[in-house]
Amino acid sequence: MNLADFRKEYSDRGLSQEEMNSDPIAQFSAWFAEAIKLGIYEPNAMTLATVDGAGAPWQRTILLKNFDARGFTFFSNYTSRKAMHLKENSRASLLFPWITLERQIIIQGVVEKITTVESQQYFNSRPRESQIGAWVSNQSEIIPSREFLMRKLNEIRNQFGDGEITLPPFWGGYRVVPHSVEFWQGGQARLHDRFLYSLENNVWNVNRLSP
């Protein structure tokens, strides 16, 4: 197998600065709506990159659950590996790899916890089994077996019975507050179009980057 043979020529769709919104959140919203319309599988799937205390980078795929002018929200166990990283270093990066659209978006920013009220609202919207799952998993901890996990699942089910599943005190949301957002559109001859939004003095500046 020669990986050099896995070469694909990109379309000539192109991307000009004139068609870009001056607000990166509005531009993200437009691309996100197009990804949904064109049937991209799980368009809200994104790679979250964090850095541990030794400076080593870590990545994982998670789901975007909300975005607005304040930033991009996801949910996690507050004792997970990613949570420990963010406690030590609140800077993080997000990547949306919409490969079939020949697009990607990179977001860099500072991560903050959202309010308990916001976490409760989202938790209430989750399916019951997902609510129970939040109680079962001590995310990222070593466990002896799958059977151990299933026993704990049954214990939690019995604990709550048919009653309301309450919000775990160790579970909730994070918001990535962006300071830069890059939009990438594949181009022919590897001359891709890249536009970087940078926040300076509360104003978004847009610059074209070399591919």
Side-chain angles (χ1 to χ4, degrees):
M1 178 186 298
N2 185 355
L3 294 183
D5 294 334
F6 288 91
R7 178 172 292 275
K8 174 184 178 297
E9 187 58 68
Y10 291 97
S11 68
D12 60 353
R13 179 184 302 178
L15 186 64
S16 67
Q17 188 161 346
E18 289 70 28
E19 63 187 289
M20 303 290 286
N21 196 293
S22 60
D23 179 359
I25 306 300
Q27 183 62 44
F28 177 90
S29 182
W31 272 25
F32 191 78
E34 189 171 351
I36 294 173
K37 181 179 179 181
L38 295 176
I40 298 300
Y41 181 70
E42 291 197 312
N44 62 325
M46 59 187 184
T47 299
L48 168 67
T50 57
V51 177
D52 67 18
W58 294 74
Q59 296 175 310
R60 74 287 288 162
T61 301
I62 60 176
L63 297 178
L64 176 71
K65 289 302 180 179
N66 186 47
F67 69 91
D68 54 30
R70 297 171 297 173
F72 301 82
T73 301
F74 64 92
F75 291 83
S76 177
N77 187 303
Y78 286 148
T79 64
S80 65
R81 179 191 291 141
K82 72 176 83 65
M84 295 300 100
H85 293 175
L86 292 172
K87 188 175 181 180
E88 295 178 329
N89 184 344
S90 62
R91 290 175 294 179
S93 178
L94 302 173
L95 168 66
F96 290 85
W98 296 330
I99 297 171
T100 55
L101 294 183
E102 301 176 345
R103 287 176 173 174
Q104 66 178 355
I105 302 173
I106 301 172
I107 299 164
Q108 290 184 305
V110 175
V111 183
E112 61 184 21
K113 283 185 179 181
I114 66 175
T115 67
T116 302
V117 171
E118 291 175 289
S119 292
Q120 182 71 68
Q121 289 174 341
Y122 173 69
F123 188 79
N124 291 344
S125 73
R126 301 185 91 201
R128 187 176 180 84
E129 286 297 286
S130 295
Q131 293 178 337
I132 292 174
W135 279 97
V136 171
S137 176
N138 293 325
Q139 198 173 54
S140 304
E141 288 192 4
I142 295 174
I143 57 174
S145 65
R146 175 95 185 163
E147 289 70 26
F148 170 86
L149 200 62
M150 299 310 294
R151 285 196 301 270
K152 191 170 180 181
L153 173 63
N154 290 329
E155 290 173 3
I156 297 297
R157 282 175 174 164
N158 292 333
Q159 176 183 330
F160 285 104
D162 295 327
E164 177 186 358
I165 310 297
T166 58
L167 175 70
F170 51 80
W171 190 95
Y174 289 98
R175 179 180 294 113
V176 180
V177 180
H179 58 69
S180 74
V181 184
E182 180 182 329
F183 294 86
W184 182 99
Q185 175 71 63
Q188 289 187 331
R190 295 302 188 264
L191 297 180
H192 314 302
D193 291 298
R194 298 171 60 191
F195 289 95
L196 178 65
Y197 292 72
S198 301
L199 188 62
E200 300 175 13
N201 299 319
N202 294 318
V203 176
W204 286 104
N205 295 316
V206 188
N207 290 286
R208 177 184 277 273
L209 302 181
S210 173

